[in-house]
Amino acid sequence: MAPVVTVIALSYANLLEGSVLTETIFAWPGLGRYITNALLNADMNGVLGGTLVVGAIFVGVNLLSDIISRIFDPRTR
């Protein structure tokens, strides 16, 4: 069960990274489009803030995945 949790967490992280491209192409409102518009308008505070949010979510999902893997795998106790 532990490898499944890790793969799901990494897949979610890849979807989060792909949101910038998807939201820009389909003109959906969201964090990815905000980052793209900030980049095109030279708003570095917006780009850095959006990148920080995406990075924090990425780290949080990986941390949660490690905690859940530790719960499911008795060898790590």
Side-chain angles (χ1 to χ4, degrees):
M1 187 71 176
V4 173
V5 171
T6 304
V7 168
I8 290 172
L10 291 175
S11 296
Y12 179 76
N14 286 333
L15 288 173
L16 184 66
E17 292 172 3
S19 72
V20 175
L21 180 65
T22 304
E23 290 175 5
T24 301
I25 290 174
F26 294 111
W28 292 341
L31 186 61
R33 187 163 178 213
Y34 176 75
I35 293 171
T36 304
N37 286 340
L39 187 64
L40 293 175
N41 293 327
D43 180 16
M44 285 302 123
N45 290 330
V47 173
L48 292 173
T51 305
L52 184 67
V53 169
V54 170
I57 292 172
F58 187 87
V59 169
V61 167
N62 282 325
L63 179 65
L64 186 66
S65 134
D66 288 342
I67 291 170
I68 292 172
S69 294
R70 184 167 165 84
I71 290 170
F72 284 136
D73 193 3
R75 295 176 293 175
T76 59
R77 289 188 193 139

